[in-house]
Amino acid sequence: MTRPNIVFVMSDDHAAHSISAYGSRVNTTPHLDRLADEGSRLDAVYCTNSICTPSRASILTGTYSHINRAPSIYSEFDYRVPTFPQVLQEEGYQTALYGKWHLGRSEKARPRGFDDWRIYPDQGAYVDPVMIGPDGEEQLTGYATDIVTQQSLDFLERRDPERPFCLLVHHKAPHRPWVPHPRYDHLYEAGTIPEPETMWDDHSSRAEVVRQVRMQLDDLRESDVKEPVPEELRGEAEARERASWKYQRYMRDYLRCVQAVDDSVGEILGRLEADGIDENTIVIYTSDQGFFLGDHGWFDKRLMLDESLTMPMLIRWPAQIVAGSRVSDMITNVDFAATLLEMCGANPSALPEQQGRSFLPQLRGETNPGWRQSVYYRYWEHDDPEHHAPAHYGVRTPTHKYIHYYNDGLGTPGSSDRVMPVEDELYDLAVDPHELINVAADPAYAGVLEEMTALTAQLQEEYGDAPYQGPNTPRLEWPT
Ligand code: CA
């Protein structure tokens, strides 16, 4: 069979529940929905460390953060483990990357394995962004999402039609500070957006360190909501009303940013069809993690709760995937590299350190014997200066979630040295799918807690990660 092409579109911080194919109550994403209608929608894809740089390093290498050593947004990726684009390039694929990289600013962290690339420095800017390429830096004119789309279309235009390609389209949207294109000024006006049912979660049973996290809607800055808080909403007594006011403006801009990403997917799909290559081109849409969209009263990510943990993933490949199919097995971002290599017929041993498994059988509607029944997660950054999210690890199964807040930076770049109390959370997802009631201290769940603790230890051993053993736990060395 002819080797397939890959278009891997990844946005930044795009939560699945703001895609209509995943049941968004608010916005409509017709082009993303098309991927779901004509391909597969994956319903249980989880990141293994819910923040930009680590998720990207895991996706590229098929490894957990403690293996690729890019555990925080302050990390410099150092290629101690190879990436799937490097493998595909060696196997004769034409490779290109446009958009957000965010794996470090040093020379050693620059993209490798790409015939062509243009990246933003760190997050980049929404309007007139600077982009770095093999020949240096230049400032471009226009809206970031549209620029990256055009760079991708230009690559498709000038590619060698005799060889397969792998194109990475990495949008910076809809990352904070959520600057939309003016063409969407008419959409999702502030005041019209329904509030999520968990927005007024009082967090009464959560770990103390989680209650202290500065990701409340009221923590959104003026630069996030684009106008000063009205005088009459500034008092202590108006906290709830002010959170609602900020939520409306935050979501308006977030959803408008998503709209341009949806356009991008539509334009690329259109070009593949016009070129007559869409049948054997795999189009993947995902995001580096999920995001709280006012859920539990929060914005941002980091925590292991489902809104942050879950990644959207839609895959269209008419040659191999039945239209409208669904995958419910638990998949992680560590599985992506193995899957992409198998799709392209590349040798999986080219990534010797990888810890993932290919889910291509599930995409073809086959069962994959011995597939995992649990997902190990670890957020390494600890007590960062803005959000103050605590370091934690844990396990999600289809029915339960265990989270252990060990609360120590372990020398991770960007973390504070502040050691906070060690706490646990346990959620019974079968009866509490919104994760509102922490049952870690409930005697009725003592047996489950014990099982989940043991499962965490077992997965740590399997993946070669070290459990936390108090403030004297040895510090790992991270490249900086
Ligand atoms: Ca992100």
Side-chain angles (χ1 to χ4, degrees):
M1 195 191 82
T2 318
R3 290 189 291 177
N5 306 304
I6 294 173
V7 177
F8 182 87
V9 185
M10 180 160 67
S11 54
D12 195 356
D13 296 0
H14 187 189
H17 53 307
S18 55
I19 295 175
S20 33
Y22 279 100
S24 169
R25 297 184 302 154
V26 189
N27 65 328
T28 311
T29 48
H31 302 295
L32 294 175
D33 294 0
R34 223 190 115 185
L35 296 180
D37 292 342
E38 299 175 3
S40 184
R41 188 189 75 196
L42 292 84
D43 290 341
V45 180
Y46 303 110
C47 61
T48 49
N49 182 353
S50 183
I51 192 159
C52 305
T53 306
S55 179
R56 285 150 196 273
S58 288
I59 288 169
L60 288 168
T61 62
T63 62
Y64 271 87
S65 300
H66 63 278
I67 301 292
N68 61 54
R69 299 293 174 99
S72 90
I73 56 164
Y74 307 92
S75 309
E76 294 279 329
F77 183 63
D78 70 356
Y79 295 88
R80 66 183 56 210
V81 283
T83 67
F84 79 81
Q86 290 178 298
V87 175
L88 291 181
Q89 188 185 44
E90 279 165 22
E91 301 237 354
Y93 268 73
Q94 300 168 79
T95 53
L97 157 73
Y98 303 106
K100 176 162 164 171
W101 180 242
H102 205 186
L103 286 163
R105 293 196 80 158
S106 64
E107 277 299 323
K108 71 173 184 214
R110 289 279 164 91
R112 298 183 198 169
F114 297 101
D115 301 339
D116 189 34
W117 53 275
R118 297 278 183 289
I119 57 168
Y120 306 120
D122 301 329
Q123 298 291 350
Y126 273 103
V127 179
D128 299 340
V130 168
M131 291 190 88
I132 305 165
D135 304 323
E137 208 174 276
E138 65 176 326
Q139 178 154 21
L140 302 168
T141 307
Y143 185 65
T145 306
D146 297 346
I147 288 171
V148 164
T149 303
Q150 191 56 52
Q151 289 169 335
S152 304
L153 295 174
D154 291 346
F155 166 79
L156 293 175
E157 186 72 41
R158 63 171 189 271
R159 75 198 160 84
D160 170 3
E162 302 303 317
R163 287 194 298 142
F165 63 84
C166 173
L167 166 64
L168 273 51
V169 185
H170 284 193
H171 291 301
K172 71 171 262 79
H175 193 282
R176 196 180 192 179
W178 314 294
V179 179
H181 191 283
R183 69 176 176 269
Y184 293 118
D185 279 354
H186 61 290
L187 290 180
Y188 318 121
E189 276 176 53
T192 67
I193 303 168
E195 294 179 350
E197 52 187 297
T198 63
M199 189 150 128
W200 305 109
D201 177 358
D202 67 3
H203 300 209
S204 55
S205 68
R206 294 198 196 283
E208 186 55 36
V209 288
V210 173
R211 301 175 70 175
Q212 290 173 10
V213 162
R214 300 299 305 269
M215 292 168 12
Q216 300 286 343
L217 291 165
D218 202 18
D219 294 322
L220 287 164
R221 302 187 208 119
E222 189 175 317
S223 56
D224 296 322
V225 297
K226 321 293 188 311
E227 60 184 305
V229 174
E231 198 75 48
E232 65 275 15
L233 294 182
R234 290 184 192 172
E236 201 51 46
E238 286 77 38
R240 189 175 164 120
E241 215 183 323
R242 187 167 60 245
S244 279
W245 184 91
K246 288 188 175 184
Y247 166 79
Q248 290 294 330
R249 279 142 192 90
Y250 153 51
M251 283 309 296
R252 170 197 65 197
D253 293 342
Y254 180 96
L255 295 173
R256 287 174 180 177
C257 286
V258 166
Q259 218 63 39
V261 172
D262 187 67
D263 285 349
S264 174
V265 170
E267 285 197 44
I268 291 170
L269 265 179
R271 175 61 58 91
L272 297 173
E273 285 173 315
D275 290 352
I277 56 168
D278 66 302
E279 179 75 11
N280 199 27
T281 297
I282 303 162
V283 179
I284 299 173
Y285 182 78
T286 191
S287 165
D288 58 351
Q289 6 69 209
F291 216 67
F292 295 106
L293 304 179
D295 313 284
H296 307 290
W298 286 319
F299 67 100
D300 215 78
K301 52 232 180 189
R302 301 162 201 274
L303 302 177
M304 200 184 151
L305 296 187
D306 269 4
E307 292 85 355
S308 154
L309 185 69
T310 307
M311 306 166 78
M313 191 167 228
L314 305 167
I315 307 183
R316 182 185 186 274
W317 186 12
Q320 297 268 335
I321 299 176
V322 173
S325 54
R326 302 288 177 259
V327 174
S328 56
D329 279 354
M330 302 176 87
I331 285 162
T332 72
N333 57 353
V334 166
D335 297 319
F336 294 5
T339 307
L340 289 164
L341 291 193
E342 193 186 5
M343 286 168 157
C344 298
N347 184 357
S349 66
L351 293 179
E353 316 275 350
Q354 70 162 314
Q355 300 173 302
R357 272 184 76 184
S358 169
F359 51 89
L360 181 57
Q362 287 96 320
L363 291 171
R364 288 182 174 141
E366 300 157 10
T367 53
N368 199 339
W371 192 257
R372 77 166 65 77
Q373 295 300 310
S374 55
V375 164
Y376 176 62
Y377 177 90
R378 186 165 189 168
Y379 177 76
W380 280 91
E381 240 173 87
H382 177 62
D383 193 33
D384 70 281
E386 179 165 6
H387 309 83
H388 300 282
H392 56 287
Y393 53 67
V395 171
R396 191 201 196 284
T397 69
T399 54
H400 292 88
K401 186 182 290 176
Y402 166 70
I403 313 174
H404 182 65
Y405 298 94
Y406 60 93
N407 291 325
D408 186 340
L410 293 176
T412 318
S415 292
S416 83
D417 293 330
R418 192 157 66 107
V419 178
M420 286 133 81
V422 174
E423 297 173 273
D424 284 336
E425 286 181 356
L426 179 68
Y427 295 98
D428 183 343
L429 305 175
V431 299
D432 177 29
H434 294 301
E435 303 171 287
L436 295 167
I437 308 151
N438 170 23
V439 294
D442 183 339
Y445 283 90
V448 179
L449 184 64
E450 201 176 315
E451 280 170 31
M452 293 296 281
T453 313
L455 183 56
T456 304
Q458 183 195 319
L459 290 175
Q460 286 181 323
E461 195 176 340
E462 220 170 274
Y463 290 120
D465 196 9
Y468 183 68
Q469 293 163 312
N472 296 322
T473 305
R475 265 46 181 166
L476 294 174
E477 285 195 12
W478 309 100
T480 49

